């Protein structure tokens, strides 16, 4: 084994094995066509956040794709908890994991290869969060570029399902990064309304009220849902709406939400700087409430990695 090999373990079709032993046949449909679904929660100081909600969303994605993973949601939660526990000792006080579940439809068997297993391939994994790489975003804010490629229309493939096929988002992100390699993409939907980023939801703040695109057009993020709930608790008006580039251009604040980022302020969109301090007052209030919800000062955790 290479000295550089990690020692994490993952669940693979019924067994917990070293990560390097999780190897899929080349005819797996997840590899061939992106015919698979996944979900990811994160830990805060080692504790998983809303694991059950992520697994529920995962099973909705699987139902949409008509894939039966052969495990119940409760079993998937238990397996996820076990994988986390088996990898927990590699965490340090300044690191955390993504905790992810992936299921592909399995291998397209010709019939004579002798595969041991051709049903769905089930993987549960821990991935260290890129806290260092993203720390700067909490100091400087995110620069958003809106790429020409539009978000896949729900009539074609619902953005509400978290499938392995990220090509629409990947191509759009490459377009944004070709303009500014540090930028994050936020796609418009086919109607020209703001949709979402490659792995994050967008919120704008105007006159103290918070607005986010309708769930039909985007992945309904668990962090997005948490922010909507926090707005309710804090008495901040929060709505879903059709938002366009005019709304972004005239926003007081913009922030992005995702499992890894939680809430992260946006500095600019399309080269236009947002007014006011960073984070703005509403983003800051929601960020502080989010930190209380997860019982972890996630901003401080990110910023520690700047040193
Ligand atoms: N949109 C897309 C396309 C995503 O992949 C993600 C990340 N899962 C999100 C939004 C944010 O969702 P969450 O808050 O559940 O991480």
């Amino acid at each position: 084994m290479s000295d550089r090999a990690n020692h994490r373990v993952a669940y693979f079709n019924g067994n917990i094995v070293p990560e390097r032993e999780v190897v899929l046949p080349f005819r797996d449909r997840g590899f061939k066509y992106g015919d698979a679904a996944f979900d990811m929660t994160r830990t805060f100081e080692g504790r998983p956040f809303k694991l059950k909600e992520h697994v529920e969303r995962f099973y909705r994605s699987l139902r949409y794709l008509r894939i039966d993973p052969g495990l119940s949601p409760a079993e998937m939660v238990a397996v996820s908890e076990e994988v986390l526990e088996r990898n927990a000792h590699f965490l340090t006080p300044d690191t955390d994991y993504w905790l992810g579940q992936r299921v592909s439809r399995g291998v397209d068997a010709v019939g004579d290869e002798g595969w041991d297993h051709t049903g769905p391939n089930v993987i549960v994994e821990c991935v260290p969060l890129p806290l260092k790489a993203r720390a700067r975003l909490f100091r400087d804010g995110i620069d958003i570029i809106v790429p020409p490629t539009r978000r896949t229309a729900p009539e074609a493939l619902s953005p509400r399902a978290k499938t392995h096929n990220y090509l629409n988002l990947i191509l759009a992100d490459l377009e944004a990064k070709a303009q500014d390699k540090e930028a994050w993409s936020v796609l418009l939907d086919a109607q020209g309304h703001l949709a979402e980023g490659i792995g994050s939801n967008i919120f704008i703040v105007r006159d103290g009220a918070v607005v986010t695109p309708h769930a039909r057009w985007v992945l309904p993020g668990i962090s997005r849902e948490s922010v909507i709930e926090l707005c309710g608790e804090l008495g901040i008006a929060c709505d879903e709406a059709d938002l366009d580039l005019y709304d972004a251009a005239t926003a007081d604040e913009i922030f992005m939400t995702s499992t890894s980022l939680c809430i992260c302020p946006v500095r600019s969109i399309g080269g236009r700087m947002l007014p006011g301090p960073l984070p703005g007052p509403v983003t800051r209030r929601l960020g502080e409430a989010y930190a209380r919800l997860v019982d972890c000062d996630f901003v401080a955790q990110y910023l520690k990695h700047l040193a």
Side-chain angles (χ1 to χ4, degrees):
M1 195 200 341
S2 149
D3 284 347
R4 287 186 301 165
N6 71 60
H7 299 275
R8 285 188 302 273
V9 293
Y11 173 92
F12 183 38
N13 293 338
N15 300 305
I16 295 202
V17 296
E19 283 186 352
R20 66 183 180 284
E21 289 177 22
V22 182
V23 181
L24 291 178
F26 74 101
R27 291 210 175 100
D28 182 82
R29 291 176 61 95
F31 173 66
K32 285 175 74 178
Y33 306 124
D35 187 359
F38 74 112
D39 218 291
M40 290 269 184
T41 184
R42 67 161 280 177
T43 62
F44 290 99
E45 294 160 0
R47 304 175 304 273
F49 178 62
K50 296 198 173 177
L51 174 59
K52 189 164 161 283
E53 287 83 343
H54 279 274
V55 168
E56 283 167 2
R57 183 176 68 183
F58 182 43
Y59 276 71
R60 288 194 293 276
S61 300
L62 288 168
R63 277 181 70 188
Y64 179 67
L65 296 188
R66 305 177 192 217
I67 296 176
D68 175 1
L71 270 74
S72 68
E75 287 168 329
M76 192 64 81
V77 167
V79 165
S80 302
E81 284 167 342
E82 187 179 351
V83 169
L84 175 60
E85 196 186 313
R86 297 275 297 267
N87 290 300
H89 59 292
F90 295 119
L91 288 174
T92 65
D94 297 337
T95 60
D96 266 304
Y97 282 136
W98 267 307
L99 174 58
Q101 304 82 22
R102 304 180 177 276
V103 175
S104 75
R105 197 180 305 277
V107 160
D108 266 337
V110 177
D112 58 359
E113 307 97 323
W115 305 120
D116 291 335
H117 167 76
T118 53
N121 280 307
V122 182
I123 295 168
V124 178
E125 57 169 333
C126 281
V127 194
L129 283 172
L131 297 172
K132 190 173 171 59
R134 295 184 175 182
R136 187 188 63 76
L137 303 174
F138 285 88
R139 183 191 61 199
D140 304 337
I142 296 174
D143 294 313
I144 292 176
I145 297 277
V146 177
T149 290
R150 299 292 179 92
R151 186 75 181 103
T152 307
E155 295 83 355
L157 181 69
S158 178
R160 284 191 276 177
K162 197 165 165 63
T163 77
H164 267 210
N165 189 335
Y166 263 49
L167 280 178
N168 167 240
L169 295 156
I170 288 169
L171 286 177
D173 202 54
L174 288 171
E175 290 164 358
K177 290 205 164 39
Q179 288 186 51
D180 172 355
K181 64 180 176 26
E182 300 295 332
W184 283 42
S185 52
V186 170
L187 288 73
L188 302 177
D189 64 28
Q191 279 73 42
H193 297 128
L194 290 169
E196 63 187 328
I198 189 165
S200 49
N201 293 110
I202 184 167
F203 286 76
I204 73 164
V205 182
R206 207 170 39 205
D207 299 330
V210 170
V211 198
T212 193
H214 287 288
R216 177 161 184 252
W217 309 97
V218 298
L219 184 83
I222 305 293
S223 339
R224 173 185 180 278
E225 202 56 48
S226 301
V227 166
I228 292 170
E229 284 165 19
L230 289 174
C231 284
E233 287 166 24
L234 296 174
I236 297 171
C238 182
D239 260 319
E240 293 183 343
D242 288 337
L243 299 168
D244 61 16
L245 290 174
Y246 174 85
D247 296 300
T250 56
D252 299 326
E253 302 171 37
I254 301 181
F255 61 86
M256 307 289 293
T257 63
S258 79
T259 288
S260 55
L261 292 176
C262 307
I263 297 181
C264 189
V266 169
R267 170 168 67 178
S268 72
I269 180 161
R272 182 197 297 267
M273 300 297 280
L274 272 295
L278 198 110
V282 175
T283 307
R284 178 183 294 276
R285 235 181 119 203
L286 283 168
E288 287 166 0
Y290 204 102
R292 287 194 294 277
L293 174 70
V294 301
D295 196 17
C296 169
D297 188 344
F298 62 91
V299 176
Q301 186 188 44
Y302 270 103
L303 292 177
K304 236 184 259 174
H305 288 268
L306 280 176

